[in-house]
Amino acid sequence: MRATVLKVLAAVGALLALAGLLALGRMWWDSRLPSTYNVMDFGSHDFGGGAVPAGHHSGGVSVDGLKGPQGGAPDARFTLTAKQGTMRLPSGRTIDALTFDGKSPGPELRVRRGDLVEVTLRNADVDTGVTIHWHGVDVPNAEDGVAGVTQDAVMPGGSYTYRFRAEQQGTFWYHTHQSSAKEVRRGLLGALVIEPSAGAAAPVDLVALAHDYEGTPTLNGADRVTKRRVAPGTPVRLRLVNTDNTPQRFTVAGTPFRVLAVDGTDVNEPQPLENTRLVVAGGGRYDVGFTMPASAVELALQDTNAALALSPDGRGDLPPPTSGSDFDPAVYGRPRPTPFDAQSRFDRTFVLKVGRKPGFYDGRPGIQWTINGGIYPDVPSFVVEEGDLVKLSVENDTDSVHPMHLHGHHALVLSRDEQAVTGSPWWTDTLSVEPNERYELAFRADNPGLWMDHCHNLKHAADGLTMHVVYAGVTTPFRVGGGVHNHPE
Ligand code: C2O
Ligand code: CU
């Protein structure tokens, strides 16, 4: 009798274990991404509380039809050739890099606002393929450079031409958006500066681009102090760009300074700052301005050997490093009217909640990133219609920082942790969302297309922290996946 009960219990236990295993196997099987797929075929469609747009299922416009101006002679024309190469840092260290035109960072592209820009990308020998994304520039969708969404990756021997009008002005950067977690880290990136349409830029106008090569932090590719001669009284503008996955901490010593722009948008009435550390989000930019004093000024990447030292004699006894509080764009500068604000009536309201849970991502078990509870590709696409005013809440329920980057749009920060922004209007394209923070953003849906919205810690994006903002009726002929060599992340 007793023995029979035990046998039955053992059988039931075995069945349960088997069922559990089967369920787990099913989860694993279901998580595997097909060899090629259309980014639109997965996940759910979130309409943000608005009506389902009439054109949503009709598929009226292909990404291919959303190109920049095709006719007309360009005002600025560049060719960038992606190739493998060895680069030598000033310290003597050599890096096995991927370069544009043989260097990393690639050539600094400078254009003027209003210019028709034409860039031809050639791939010499990067066998995983290359594209160029114009980070922070709200280009037409087909010029956005996302492999498998707006174009096919350019394979060795191939080329692709981008054309767009530079409608913004400020500090931007460009990088490959094919296997970006690996290729950007290895060096396929550079600065893009859009100067004002008229008038001279500051007499001294320098990019300070931070990048980590194989664990060595650099500024403009130098892992040392770079010295420059600047006459006292000269207006100076420094354009800080963080091309890394994690926040970079810049210090400015030897002068008071102002933060003139955030993510390529001017700050309204910036006040002078001192002893303030500038923490720039992965993918983010800050422009800093000051008038050159009679003694040396140093812009440094904190706790590294990389720095830019400006001094009247070009040699410069460096000023002592500063410490102090962190710059906060939410309370800096002065308010001024914006095209919309927290009181506006929004057509759609979306929530993007970043979390973690155990599960499978493309067949790999682990603690995965989630968006609104789902593991990629089980994530929502936010569907909008052209003209919509959109509110977006971003919440971080993890203990990592996530620099969230929406392609093709600039968003106005309304609040952080329910506190309204009190300084200058704060427009962002790459917003550092700290653990347990919650932001409210607003943007106008004025640039039709399929737009990535992802974490610019590119390692996180490659692990699934990515989704799309989709305009109703827009479709793509391109496909993601191994079968077609398109791997945007
Ligand atoms: Cu700078 Cu989608 O990236
Ligand atoms: Cu992240």
Side-chain angles (χ1 to χ4, degrees):
M1 181 63 192
R2 185 103 173 255
T4 327
V5 169
L6 281 179
K7 266 187 196 154
V8 168
L9 279 178
V12 168
L15 272 176
L16 281 176
L18 189 65
L21 267 177
L22 281 174
L24 216 59
R26 177 78 207 239
M27 271 172 73
W28 168 78
W29 180 263
D30 286 351
S31 82
R32 295 173 329 136
L33 294 166
S35 79
T36 86
Y37 63 98
N38 186 309
V39 289
M40 298 301 301
D41 292 346
F42 277 107
S44 54
H45 288 168
D46 180 343
F47 299 98
V52 178
H56 181 53
H57 297 290
S58 64
V61 190
S62 163
V63 160
D64 261 343
L66 299 169
K67 292 208 158 89
Q70 292 305 290
D75 303 292
R77 180 184 258 152
F78 306 95
T79 299
L80 294 173
T81 303
K83 47 175 161 258
Q84 307 182 38
T86 304
M87 77 185 246
R88 205 181 154 81
L89 301 178
S91 64
R93 207 171 154 202
T94 53
I95 304 292
D96 176 20
L98 297 178
T99 70
F100 283 115
D101 292 4
K103 32 185 190 184
S104 180
E108 182 177 311
L109 307 185
R110 281 202 178 240
V111 303
R112 282 189 177 266
R113 182 181 202 159
D115 280 358
L116 179 57
V117 181
E118 184 181 289
V119 183
T120 301
L121 163 65
R122 291 184 196 291
N123 182 357
D125 60 2
V126 178
D127 44 18
T128 44
V130 188
T131 66
I132 299 181
H133 169 62
W134 312 98
H135 185 113
V137 186
D138 301 331
V139 298
N141 196 219
E143 316 296 339
D144 199 41
V146 179
V149 181
T150 66
Q151 67 172 96
D152 283 325
V154 178
M155 300 311 286
S159 71
Y160 189 91
T161 298
Y162 301 89
R163 280 171 75 95
F164 58 88
R165 187 147 323 262
E167 319 256 19
Q168 296 148 272
Q169 76 186 38
T171 306
F172 305 94
W173 61 296
Y174 62 89
H175 62 79
T176 182
H177 220 305
Q178 163 77 350
S179 298
S180 9
K182 292 194 183 108
E183 294 187 357
V184 174
R185 187 167 47 76
R186 292 188 61 199
L188 282 175
L189 58 100
L192 167 63
V193 175
I194 308 180
E195 295 178 353
S197 51
V204 173
D205 181 319
L206 303 170
V207 166
L209 181 152
H211 193 74
D212 184 296
Y213 294 93
E214 297 175 1
T216 305
T218 64
L219 269 185
N220 300 333
D223 53 351
R224 287 224 163 133
V225 182
T226 304
K227 294 185 176 175
R228 264 186 97 108
R229 196 171 146 182
V230 177
T234 312
V236 176
R237 186 178 193 111
L238 301 178
R239 300 172 181 271
L240 282 43
V241 184
N242 179 8
T243 65
D244 285 324
N245 284 337
T246 51
Q248 283 290 7
R249 294 166 178 81
F250 289 85
T251 56
V252 181
T255 181
F257 61 94
R258 295 171 206 264
V259 175
L260 303 178
V262 172
D263 286 355
T265 306
D266 286 349
V267 171
N268 186 46
E269 295 185 42
Q271 305 97 347
L273 296 167
E274 238 168 330
N275 299 328
T276 304
R277 189 169 73 155
L278 300 167
V279 184
V280 184
R285 291 89 59 215
Y286 284 162
D287 289 17
V288 165
F290 53 86
T291 301
M292 185 65 196
S295 51
V297 171
E298 187 186 43
L299 172 75
L301 264 186
Q302 200 178 22
D303 302 328
T304 78
N305 297 325
L308 200 60
L310 312 180
S311 58
D313 62 3
R315 281 178 273 128
D317 290 325
L318 295 185
T322 60
S323 60
S325 53
D326 287 349
F327 173 72
D328 181 3
V331 297
Y332 184 67
R334 305 229 180 289
R336 79 169 157 210
T338 44
F340 41 82
D341 58 26
Q343 273 65 54
S344 300
R345 206 190 58 76
F346 291 91
D347 300 294
R348 298 178 195 275
T349 301
F350 298 105
V351 177
L352 195 172
K353 193 187 257 184
V354 180
R356 294 202 95 171
K357 73 174 184 194
F360 294 94
Y361 170 64
D362 197 10
R364 277 175 283 150
I367 311 292
Q368 312 295 351
W369 300 115
T370 60
I371 294 179
N372 296 357
I375 299 168
Y376 186 89
D378 178 24
V379 296
S381 290
F382 295 155
V383 182
V384 300
E385 268 188 299
E386 188 171 2
D388 282 349
L389 187 58
V390 180
K391 189 194 267 191
L392 174 61
S393 307
V394 183
E395 295 178 38
N396 181 356
D397 287 348
T398 73
D399 48 25
S400 310
V401 183
H402 301 294
M404 299 305 294
H405 172 49
L406 170 61
H407 286 209
H409 301 78
H410 275 73
L412 180 68
V413 181
L414 304 175
S415 68
R416 179 180 56 213
D417 295 336
E418 323 303 326
Q419 301 281 97
V421 169
T422 57
S424 162
W426 174 13
W427 294 92
T428 180
D429 53 54
T430 316
L431 182 67
S432 195
V433 187
E434 304 276 327
N436 302 314
E437 273 186 342
R438 177 187 136 93
Y439 279 90
E440 281 197 320
L441 308 167
F443 68 92
R444 177 71 72 188
D446 56 4
N447 195 6
L450 303 180
W451 301 102
M452 285 186 88
D453 188 355
H454 65 94
C455 179
H456 221 283
N457 182 325
L458 297 172
K459 175 84 181 67
H460 295 177
D463 290 338
L465 238 183
T466 182
M467 60 169 307
H468 294 84
V469 169
V470 169
Y471 281 62
V474 178
T475 59
T476 178
F478 303 105
R479 294 173 75 83
V480 173
V484 285
H485 310 291
N486 287 329
H487 302 280
E489 282 85 25

